[in-house]
Amino acid sequence: MALTAERTEPISILQRERPLRPDLMLVLSFLALSAIGIVMVYTATAPALELAGADTATTMRRHAIFVMIGVAVFIVASLIDQRALLSLTPIAYLGSLVALFLVLTPLGTEFNGARRWVDIGPLPFQPSEFAKIAVVLALAALLGNGTAGKVRWDHIARAIVLVGLPAVLIFRQPDLGTMLVFGFVAVAMLFASGTTWRQLAFLVIAATVGAVGIFRAGALRTFQIQRLTAFLDPSEDLAASALYNQIQSEIAIGSGGFFGKGLGQGTQTNLSFVPEQESDFIFTAVGEQLGFIGGTIVIALFGVLVWRVLVAAVNGRDRFGQLVAVGVAGMLMFHVFVNIGMTMRLVPVTGLPLPFMSAGGTAFIAFSLALGMAHSVWMRRSPVPGE
Amino acid sequence: MTLAWRAGLMGMVFFALLAVLSLRMWQLQVAEGQEYAERAESNQVGFAPTPAPRGEIRDANGVLLAGTRPALAAVVDAKILSEEDEPQLVAQLSALLGLSVEEVQMFIDDVQARGDRVPIVSDLTDQEALFITEHGENFPGVEVEPQPIRTYPLGELASDIVGFIGLPQPADVEGGAEPTVLLGRAGLEKEYDSQLQGTPGQIVYRFDARRQGDVLSEDVPTPGNTLFLTIDTELQRVVEESLAEGLQLSRDLYEDPDCVPGSADDGGDPRCPVRAAGVVMDVTTGAVLAMASVPTYDPNIFIGGVSQAELDALPDGVFNNFAIQGEYAPASTYKAVTYFTAYEEGMPPYSATNLEEEILCSKELRLPFLGEGSQQVFRNWTGRDDGLQNIHRAFTRSCNVYFWEIAAQIWNEKQGTDDESILQDWARDFGFGEPTSIDLPFERKGLVPDRALFELWKEETPQRLDPARLSYASPWLGGDLMNAALGQGEVLVTPLQLANAYAAMVNGGSLWEPYVVDHIENLDGDVVADHEPTLLRSIDVSPQTVANFRRDMQQVVNDPAGTAYSAFEEFGDNVELVGGKTGTAEIIKETEEQEGVTTALFAAVAPVNQPRYVVVVVIERGGSGGRIAAPTARPILQYLLNGANAVTPIDAGEDAD
């Protein structure tokens, strides 16, 4: 009976028996991008700080602290089982809604014409960065629940509501970039869940109509319209127009050439021609100083990262984890494309940071968290791929 | 389709997006990298010219007439000033500088149109400079910069020679002038602009987008060269004061001493004495020792800007140098030309056989043979018979009849022949009818009329001629030669031409090219250009004629019957060394009701036995040569012969031609 007894205590393939195995390629890409980011932040900020008579490493040191926090967050998130994550999802989603609401209250602070920050504790905090993750979790929870291989229209309707609630709050800030992230991530996750081609077409058309509607309704702030119109019609006075940033960035990257001008030798970035070069335009510093070679390496690193996250999605042990990974992949991809495209005047300026490289604490920690969640899915992967 | 398939599809889309980024990067950095590198270069390097201090202008003794001093300028930079900032800047500048908003706006518009850096104020007070610097945010596009500034320490003195500077006119800019660099607009400042200009320096900045920059390199400007003139400032001062005094005297003698000259249409009084011009030359070299045109101006008014109202308040023609730009009928001073023609061509008066033979200087002359259209009766200025006169007496008394008879003889003997224009040829030999080529701008050339000219006018500009003449076979009539022999009719000369011709007459026939700049030195004091006296031509005149001419000029001043005798009665020592010739040019004809209006001229030489100086004085509409011009020239000659202490105030002389 021992045999039977043994059989009544089966080794479930769903139970973790093997030790957790990290994805080395994913981890190394993550650390490499973060390290390049720290160096770039230093080269982009040091000349201006020196001019002001301050310590040239001030901004870099601050960013490095966030990187360390982010790495810690990544490790912790990698260790959290996605089932625990599933149970946290309602709290995360509702918490994000509350935080987004707080931005619009007197607690929120305005910066560069947009309210995106909440002053809580010693550091300003940007809830929309975490709202992206909350939306990924909520959509994964919705679509992972018994929709194996098929998406019903009511799923689509409920997904739209889930994305719509935070979107409305973000729309009031306003933060066009984040809304576009929501849209892209939602479409990607719905597609992965098994939409029909008709459903996909409907979603793409709906998203397009929505974007145009927002633009037409005059709901955008002047600076956003300027960014878009300047992009479409660059004939305006350069220095005065919103296109200035992009033109300067384009010149900077172009002038970097094949090998780049060398670290600290970027006349465009180091002489402050490119605004926001340590945050949204960090890739400009890469392109100018490290050239085509350096830029290609950075893009390749992102490619590896997104590839590994998609691989994690394919190997995920349950549908919720798989969809979380798909959402994280979509979110990373969208940021990388829109941000780098913006620095090369390929797409309009939307104010999305470059993951793991742009200076900015909240964004770095949020991306670390997202990547950690996807990594967790890989570490608890199914021994039989595809289940 | 499983999730694996769908994820694979997404991976392909993502890969395509990353490939798009890489391709764009290749396009920017590799395909077009060179162009972008150049754009980045021009983005960060700026050039700012630094004006060179203009060279100095000094007189023969080194006295400073034009110099430079350092000053702070408020420079408006069109490249920095944006249109949105303009209203604020205009308001701030007009409040700070006490200028009207319209004036400032006009200036700013001009700067924006030129797209350049132009000083709106070139000489800020310390307070203004400090205010602009401290409130930089209120003055977008304005920078306070040290810039050299032109100064004319002696003000009006010699201003007609020195000239002034200003921003280039559109024509200058088309000719290649830097639109923001001040250049000479008149006088020596214009003529020698390339010498005075110097080489501007250049500062190369490397700056960032906030225009905070550091200097990469700086080429120091090289100051312009220094002009040393032939002008003697002390003599110049005597000449200017004498001319001003003479002009005032002529106005005091006029019925309305406070009259305003000008045409009646403009509310002026055409009979009012207008201005005076004078020249002192060295007859041995052509060096101009003094030259003036009064009323004149202070060139300092152009420094730091001058308003239209200020300019309008100045007398007409104040910026013109009438010593070289005024064209006057020389009247009896021109008898010197007829004198030389008569001697050298052997042309006695019509009713005499030689020049020593005396004829009656009658009150009027009838010349029935002059032909149709010509005036047949000529009246002497004395209004009565003036006794028997040979050429010497006739020159001393300025007898019109005698010189008309010489013209009549020429007409009678030469008309229609190849050398019918001998009188005009002599005039041209002495430099009339052509510019003297003095090293000053805007010189006029005067006019020597002859048959060829009148026939040309008949062809091309018949309105210049009396319509009655057009019906004759030739518009040039005997009466025209009569007029020409007395420097009337169409004859026009500049005071400088007159002085230069007299210089050649008394020095034995050497016509020099007049000049003002003796030599030019660079910053180190090395002579970079030295003016050697230049002979325009050597005129073949007999020494006997020259000796006669000198003696007769001396008589004009020293013989009690001479037309300038009364003017020189109070001269003091050495009056016997002075020779001269009066002239009175009719501007408005005398009528039954009203006296005529005449321009007074006097040409003098000293010392007459060994000529050194020629002095010419013209008082436009001032009266007669004997009454006004000779007395005005007297203090100048007193100064030249007897020194500064010998100069006495001007009194009107006897009214004589």
Side-chain angles (χ1 to χ4, degrees):
Chain A
M1 293 301 108
L3 193 71
T4 314
E6 276 178 34
R7 290 186 68 93
T8 53
E9 297 281 337
I11 302 166
S12 166
I13 53 165
L14 298 176
Q15 293 288 315
R16 284 219 44 77
E17 291 301 325
R18 293 180 291 173
L20 297 171
R21 277 188 305 159
D23 184 340
L24 267 182
M25 281 173 86
L26 183 144
V27 172
L28 288 179
S29 303
F30 165 55
L31 292 178
L33 285 168
S34 303
I36 296 172
I38 291 173
V39 175
M40 285 301 125
V41 166
Y42 178 77
T43 60
T45 54
L49 289 167
E50 189 178 13
L51 208 65
D55 182 356
T56 54
T58 311
T59 312
M60 183 269 272
R61 200 176 294 126
R62 198 181 136 89
H63 179 64
I65 291 170
F66 281 116
V67 169
M68 284 189 276
I69 297 172
V71 170
V73 167
F74 170 80
I75 292 168
V76 171
S78 301
L79 296 173
I80 294 175
D81 193 304
Q82 57 259 41
R83 272 171 302 183
L85 220 48
L86 179 59
S87 57
L88 284 171
T89 297
I91 303 169
Y93 185 75
L94 292 174
S96 298
L97 288 184
V98 172
L100 286 173
F101 180 74
L102 283 178
V103 176
L104 302 174
T105 68
L107 268 174
T109 50
E110 199 157 320
F111 180 74
N112 278 353
R115 281 173 168 266
R116 291 181 192 169
W117 304 80
V118 185
D119 274 321
I120 301 174
L123 297 168
F125 165 79
Q126 222 176 338
S128 58
E129 298 297 341
F130 288 102
K132 293 170 189 167
I133 296 171
V135 164
V136 168
L137 289 174
L139 283 172
L142 170 72
L143 301 171
N145 187 11
T147 60
K150 255 171 84 184
V151 175
R152 296 195 309 273
W153 282 101
D154 72 285
H155 278 110
I156 291 176
R158 281 152 75 186
I160 288 173
V161 173
L162 272 183
V163 172
L165 280 175
V168 168
L169 289 168
I170 284 172
F171 179 63
R172 298 287 302 265
Q173 289 186 7
D175 184 346
L176 189 65
T178 301
M179 288 174 62
L180 293 172
V181 173
F182 286 177
F184 187 82
V185 166
V187 171
M189 289 175 75
L190 282 164
F191 173 71
S193 301
T195 53
T196 60
W197 292 111
R198 268 174 67 188
Q199 285 170 327
L200 187 67
F202 165 79
L203 284 169
V204 170
I205 290 166
T208 310
V209 169
V212 172
I214 289 166
F215 188 64
R216 279 294 169 85
L220 296 176
R221 297 281 169 93
T222 320
F223 74 91
Q224 291 173 316
I225 294 173
Q226 274 176 353
R227 282 170 175 176
L228 291 171
T229 52
F231 179 79
L232 297 173
D233 176 19
S235 61
E236 273 183 80
D237 183 26
L238 286 189
S241 86
L243 196 60
Y244 175 81
N245 296 9
Q246 275 190 300
I247 298 271
Q248 291 296 344
S249 170
E250 184 187 343
I251 292 173
I253 293 173
S255 68
F258 194 81
F259 294 106
K261 296 178 186 167
L263 280 181
Q265 306 299 311
T267 54
Q268 287 273 312
T269 47
N270 298 147
L271 292 171
S272 307
F273 276 99
V274 183
E276 311 240 356
Q277 48 179 293
E278 77 279 11
S279 55
D280 289 356
F281 282 89
I282 191 75
F283 188 79
T284 311
V286 176
E288 185 180 24
Q289 298 178 64
L290 303 178
F292 181 75
I293 297 273
T296 304
I297 289 172
V298 167
I299 290 175
L301 287 170
F302 279 118
V304 170
L305 214 53
V306 173
W307 166 52
R308 293 313 302 172
V309 173
L310 282 176
V311 168
V314 172
N315 292 285
R317 198 174 50 188
D318 59 24
R319 198 133 183 100
F320 171 74
Q322 287 181 317
L323 288 175
V324 166
V326 167
V328 169
M331 177 176 138
L332 284 175
M333 187 60 226
F334 191 74
H335 278 86
V336 168
F337 182 76
V338 171
N339 179 284
I340 295 181
M342 163 187 88
T343 64
M344 296 191 291
R345 215 158 59 84
L346 208 55
V347 297
V349 177
T350 42
L352 289 179
L354 185 61
F356 310 121
M357 290 188 71
S358 290
T362 319
F364 192 93
I365 294 169
F367 283 122
S368 301
L369 176 61
L371 190 68
M373 282 160 30
H375 190 218
S376 162
V377 172
W378 166 259
M379 294 213 296
R380 290 164 185 79
R381 63 189 177 275
S382 163
V384 185
E387 213 160 325
Chain B
M1 201 163 44
T2 66
L3 188 138
W5 274 103
R6 288 177 180 257
L9 217 60
M10 280 168 67
M12 279 191 267
V13 172
F14 290 1
F15 178 80
L17 289 176
L18 292 176
V20 166
L21 291 180
S22 290
L23 282 175
R24 173 67 173 166
M25 214 162 62
W26 174 271
Q27 182 197 1
L28 291 186
Q29 299 191 299
V30 183
E32 297 166 15
Q34 197 54 42
E35 290 156 45
Y36 283 104
E38 280 160 22
R39 282 176 74 182
E41 188 68 20
S42 64
N43 229 347
Q44 50 166 337
V45 177
F47 303 94
T50 47
R54 274 182 87 80
E56 294 172 341
I57 301 177
R58 291 178 179 275
D59 87 341
N61 302 313
V63 175
L64 189 67
L65 294 169
T68 55
R69 66 175 170 80
L72 289 174
V75 178
V76 178
D77 191 334
K79 291 194 189 70
I80 306 180
L81 177 60
S82 67
E83 266 184 41
E84 302 93 84
D85 289 338
E86 247 187 54
Q88 181 202 355
L89 179 64
V90 169
Q92 291 282 348
L93 280 177
S94 89
L96 178 68
L97 306 173
L99 298 167
S100 77
V101 171
E102 291 76 31
E103 276 178 288
V104 177
Q105 186 66 53
M106 264 176 59
F107 182 88
I108 302 279
D109 290 346
D110 187 44
V111 174
Q112 292 283 40
R114 292 167 186 251
D116 242 311
R117 313 174 82 248
V118 189
I120 182 166
V121 180
S122 46
D123 193 10
L124 293 166
T125 64
D126 288 351
Q127 289 93 324
E128 286 168 344
L130 195 65
F131 189 84
I132 295 178
T133 312
E134 285 188 345
H135 300 82
E137 72 281 2
N138 292 340
F139 295 92
V142 174
E143 281 165 30
V144 174
E145 283 185 1
Q147 286 196 349
I149 197 167
R150 197 59 157 166
T151 59
Y152 302 97
L154 300 185
E156 286 195 356
L157 195 79
S159 59
D160 283 306
I161 299 166
V162 171
F164 58 88
I165 57 172
L167 284 173
Q169 305 290 79
D172 300 323
V173 177
E174 279 164 32
E178 282 287 330
T180 58
V181 177
L182 294 168
L183 52 74
R185 299 276 301 280
L188 292 171
E189 293 274 34
K190 179 180 173 68
E191 187 78 12
Y192 287 89
D193 196 53
S194 58
Q195 290 283 349
L196 294 166
Q197 193 72 254
T199 312
Q202 190 180 55
I203 297 178
V204 182
Y205 295 97
R206 202 174 87 143
F207 54 83
D208 61 23
R210 299 180 199 99
R211 293 194 75 88
Q212 291 167 323
D214 48 344
V215 175
L216 284 183
S217 68
E218 182 171 4
D219 290 336
V220 181
T222 312
N225 294 331
T226 300
L227 307 183
F228 284 86
L229 309 187
T230 54
I231 302 294
D232 175 345
T233 305
E234 284 317 303
L235 174 64
Q236 177 76 20
R237 192 185 303 279
V238 171
V239 170
E240 289 187 19
E241 284 171 1
S242 301
L243 291 175
E245 218 179 314
L247 182 61
Q248 192 54 51
L249 174 68
S250 65
R251 286 193 183 161
D252 289 343
L253 292 172
Y254 179 58
E255 57 198 35
D256 175 13
D258 298 322
C259 62
V260 177
S263 76
D265 297 341
D266 299 333
D269 179 355
R271 307 180 65 84
C272 182
V274 184
R275 59 177 70 91
V279 180
V280 180
M281 272 181 64
D282 184 335
V283 305
T284 63
T285 60
V288 175
L289 306 178
M291 173 188 278
S293 172
V294 293
T296 187
Y297 62 97
D298 181 348
N300 288 305
I301 62 171
F302 291 102
I303 307 304
V306 58
S307 73
Q308 194 57 45
E310 286 174 87
L311 290 180
D312 291 343
L314 293 170
D316 243 17
V318 75
F319 298 117
N320 295 341
N321 179 0
F322 283 86
I324 57 170
Q325 291 175 265
E327 292 179 303
Y328 300 102
S332 297
T333 58
Y334 204 68
K335 282 173 182 162
V337 175
T338 314
Y339 185 107
F340 271 85
T341 310
Y343 263 113
E344 296 299 314
E345 302 288 339
M347 283 288 151
Y350 180 64
S351 50
T353 54
N354 64 65
L355 292 164
E356 307 301 326
E357 185 186 330
E358 293 183 333
I359 62 168
L360 179 66
C361 182
S362 60
K363 68 176 180 183
E364 59 180 46
L365 177 66
R366 289 173 188 279
L367 292 169
F369 59 87
L370 285 178
E372 266 190 309
S374 278
Q375 189 183 352
Q376 303 295 320
V377 181
F378 296 84
R379 290 189 174 79
N380 197 21
W381 63 272
T382 51
R384 56 182 168 78
D385 289 353
D386 204 31
L388 290 171
Q389 299 182 354
N390 60 10
I391 190 166
H392 312 297
R393 185 73 178 171
F395 195 78
T396 309
R397 289 292 299 152
S398 199
C399 175
N400 292 352
V401 167
Y402 191 91
F403 289 89
W404 275 322
E405 284 221 15
I406 293 174
Q409 174 68 9
I410 296 171
W411 180 259
N412 205 35
E413 203 168 299
K414 310 266 187 194
Q415 68 160 303
T417 69
D418 285 346
D419 50 355
E420 70 166 352
S421 296
I422 45 172
L423 181 73
Q424 293 92 328
D425 291 342
W426 274 95
R428 291 192 191 99
D429 274 354
F430 283 118
F432 293 110
E434 65 180 16
T436 66
S437 309
I438 189 173
D439 46 353
L440 284 172
F442 309 124
E443 189 193 9
R444 309 282 304 198
K445 63 175 187 171
L447 195 62
V448 177
D450 58 9
R451 189 186 300 278
L453 178 74
F454 272 47
E455 285 178 349
L456 184 75
W457 282 357
K458 185 182 174 183
E459 280 293 300
E460 292 178 357
T461 53
Q463 67 275 14
R464 290 194 68 159
L465 293 170
D466 176 10
R469 290 167 184 276
L470 301 176
S471 54
Y472 303 119
S474 171
W476 179 256
L477 305 172
D480 296 318
L481 188 66
M482 302 290 108
N483 278 335
L486 267 76
Q488 291 274 183
E490 299 290 345
V491 182
L492 290 174
V493 307
T494 68
L496 180 68
Q497 279 178 330
L498 195 58
N500 208 29
Y502 267 79
M505 289 168 188
V506 298
N507 72 14
S510 298
L511 188 73
W512 296 100
E513 183 182 88
Y515 64 98
V516 186
V517 173
D518 181 75
H519 66 278
I520 302 172
E521 290 181 7
N522 65 14
L523 192 62
D524 303 326
D526 303 326
V527 174
V528 294
D530 197 3
H531 189 284
E532 294 294 328
T534 310
L535 203 55
L536 286 175
R537 71 179 70 90
S538 206
I539 306 158
D540 189 15
V541 288
S542 82
Q544 189 56 47
T545 311
V546 173
N548 286 340
F549 182 68
R550 289 180 187 171
R551 199 180 58 242
D552 290 340
M553 279 187 83
Q554 198 262 2
Q555 289 296 296
V556 171
V557 172
N558 287 278
D559 189 308
T563 51
Y565 178 78
S566 74
F568 281 79
E569 259 186 311
E570 307 294 326
F571 186 85
D573 296 339
N574 296 324
V575 69
E576 69 280 1
L577 298 180
V578 179
K581 181 69 196 88
T582 54
T584 306
E586 196 171 52
I587 307 294
I588 299 175
K589 259 201 177 325
E590 192 174 339
T591 63
E592 297 282 319
E593 305 88 53
Q594 237 180 351
E595 283 182 40
V597 173
T598 56
T599 286
L601 301 101
F602 190 66
V605 58
V608 75
N609 54 345
Q610 200 176 3
R612 174 76 200 278
Y613 307 110
V614 154
V615 178
V616 164
V617 162
V618 177
I619 293 108
E620 193 176 332
R621 307 191 182 214
S624 70
R627 194 174 191 206
I628 295 295
T632 301
R634 194 204 60 208
I636 301 168
L637 289 150
Q638 282 174 320
Y639 177 88
L640 288 172
L641 291 176
N642 300 336
N645 296 330
V647 174
T648 56
I650 293 176
D651 287 315
E654 185 197 332
D655 201 6
D657 180 46

